[in-house]
């Protein structure tokens, strides 16, 4: 299997690192030169990784082509490229839908939209894909957990929630800085906050209760610290604002 990546941003970097850390068998990986820092970094990781200057050459030499470019770039270059008949094309582009992709790429290609996030570089995290595809599911299952979606409209909800990555990291950063302001060493503060939230996430993923709501309840004691923190954040409409932000992102994806 020969894999080609058009666009070498952080998502492409994460996917390639995930591949290298998995048991996925490949003959070669071709990368575009667009981000020379990332492409050079990845090419040094494995002798089977090569950098090509021309996107069309990547398509010509690859069985599977991954699109890791921005929507703006995609709308410009995709119509200029010629894909091979029955070629597998996996798009990471958020706001170019299947109809547009088929118009740009051609109906004869096997096109799948996927939503990988940076944790798959470590072999963890979900990868929603639309439409369902057995081979692509098996591929992504080796670097994460594939979620197959039957309806593209439904898949937009996953794209919307994927936008919570940066806000989540900002919560970690904000709490870390709070500890630093209170006198804790920054390195120790980061270690504590990241370890705390990692533990909470693992606990949630292995939740033995009937649902997450019950886990919320079990995390509190009457008049305890968690009860106070939750009440105060609810009073500030913190969680309602998460809904507002998610809905706004969804509207953008729907182009409303």
């Amino acid at each position: 299997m020969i894999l080609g990546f058009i666009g070498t941003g952080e998502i492409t970097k994460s996917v390639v690192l995930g591949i290298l850390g998995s048991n996925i068998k490949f003959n070669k990986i071709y990368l575009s030169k667009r981000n020379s820092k990332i492409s050079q970094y990845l090419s040094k990781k494995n002798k089977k990784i090569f950098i090509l200057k021309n996107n069309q050459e990547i398509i010509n030499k690859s069985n599977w082509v991954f699109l890791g470019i921005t929507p703006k770039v995609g709308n410009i270059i995709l119509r200029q490229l010629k894909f091979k008949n029955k070629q597998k094309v996996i798009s990471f582009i958020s706001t170019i839908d299947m109809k547009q992709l088929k118009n740009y790429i051609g109906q004869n290609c096997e096109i799948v939209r996927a939503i990988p996030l940076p944790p798959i570089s470590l072999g963890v995290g979900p990868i929603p894909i639309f439409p369902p595809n057995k081979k692509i599911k098996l591929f992504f299952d080796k670097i994460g957990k594939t979620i197959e979606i039957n309806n593209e409209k439904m898949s937009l909800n996953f794209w919307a929630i994927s936008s919570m990555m940066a806000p989540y990291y900002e919560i970690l950063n904000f709490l870390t800085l709070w500890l630093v302001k209170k006198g804790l060493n920054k390195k120790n503060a980061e270690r504590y906050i990241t370890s705390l939230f990692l533990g909470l996430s693992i606990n949630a993923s292995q939740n033995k209760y009937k649902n997450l709501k019950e886990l919320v309840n079990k995390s509190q004691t009457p008049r305890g610290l968690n009860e106070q923190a939750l009440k105060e954040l609810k009073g500030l409409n913190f969680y309602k604002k998460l809904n507002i932000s998610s809905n706004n992102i969804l509207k953008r994806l729907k182009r409303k």
Side-chain angles (χ1 to χ4, degrees):
M1 182 166 59
I2 300 175
L3 309 175
F5 288 81
I6 296 177
T8 46
E10 289 299 324
I11 296 302
T12 290
K13 177 182 175 182
S14 298
V15 173
V16 173
L17 290 175
I19 293 169
L20 296 180
S22 73
N23 61 359
I24 293 174
K25 295 181 180 180
F26 64 92
N27 297 319
K28 294 178 182 178
I29 292 178
Y30 291 113
L31 303 174
S32 59
K33 196 179 179 181
R34 183 171 178 82
N35 188 318
S36 59
K37 184 177 180 180
I38 291 178
S39 58
Q40 288 289 344
Y41 168 79
L42 292 173
S43 67
K44 293 176 182 178
K45 290 286 185 180
N46 192 289
K47 293 181 180 180
K48 295 181 181 180
I49 298 179
F50 303 89
I51 302 170
L52 299 180
K53 295 180 180 179
N54 188 281
N55 288 327
Q56 186 61 57
E57 189 178 3
I58 291 175
I59 294 171
N60 295 344
K61 291 185 174 183
S62 303
N63 306 121
W64 292 24
V65 177
F66 298 81
L67 305 178
I69 48 183
T70 65
K72 182 179 180 180
V73 173
N75 282 315
I76 295 172
I77 72 168
L78 288 180
R79 67 184 79 213
Q80 301 169 1
L81 298 170
K82 294 183 180 179
F83 292 81
K84 295 185 290 186
N85 189 37
K86 303 299 181 183
Q87 193 168 39
K88 283 183 171 58
V89 181
I90 299 92
S91 172
F92 303 153
I93 308 171
S94 61
T95 56
I96 298 183
D97 61 24
M98 186 62 72
K99 183 178 180 181
Q100 286 178 290
L101 287 170
K102 287 182 177 180
N103 184 46
Y104 290 155
I105 296 170
Q107 299 284 345
N108 292 326
C109 287
E110 197 172 342
I111 304 171
V112 169
R113 299 184 69 196
I115 316 173
L117 294 174
I120 67 168
S121 66
L122 305 173
V124 296
I127 306 104
I129 65 170
F130 167 81
N133 184 292
K134 185 177 180 180
K135 288 186 177 180
I136 293 175
K137 179 185 184 300
L138 290 174
F139 175 88
F140 279 125
D141 273 344
K142 294 178 180 179
I143 56 176
K145 178 62 178 178
T146 310
I147 300 172
E148 292 185 299
I149 308 167
N150 293 309
N151 182 287
E152 186 171 22
K153 184 178 179 181
M154 178 62 69
S155 74
L156 296 181
N157 298 307
F158 290 86
W159 285 102
I161 294 301
S162 73
S163 70
M164 292 296 114
M165 178 175 63
Y168 171 75
Y169 288 142
E170 179 61 8
I171 290 174
L172 303 187
N173 179 55
F174 193 88
L175 293 175
T176 296
L177 293 177
W178 186 88
L179 286 175
V180 171
K181 289 176 182 178
K182 300 303 178 185
L184 190 64
N185 174 276
K186 185 178 180 181
K187 186 176 181 180
N188 289 334
E190 287 183 346
R191 184 182 295 116
Y192 173 75
I193 293 297
T194 55
S195 296
L196 171 63
F197 279 81
L198 173 61
L200 293 174
S201 294
I202 292 173
N203 190 45
S205 69
Q206 298 177 3
N207 179 26
K208 299 281 195 298
Y209 300 115
K210 61 182 179 182
N211 54 42
L212 288 174
K213 180 62 178 177
E214 188 173 352
L215 185 60
V216 174
N217 294 333
K218 296 290 186 181
S219 299
Q220 304 170 68
T221 55
R223 299 180 181 178
L225 302 180
N226 278 275
E227 182 186 72
Q228 178 182 342
L230 183 62
K231 283 182 177 180
E232 290 186 4
L233 287 174
K234 284 185 174 181
L236 294 169
N237 289 326
F238 177 83
Y239 301 103
K240 287 184 178 179
K241 288 177 180 178
L242 285 179
N243 272 344
I244 293 171
S245 180
S246 298
N247 285 331
N248 288 338
I249 296 293
L250 185 59
K251 287 178 182 179
R252 175 182 173 186
L253 289 165
K254 292 179 177 179
R255 297 188 183 87
K256 289 184 179 179

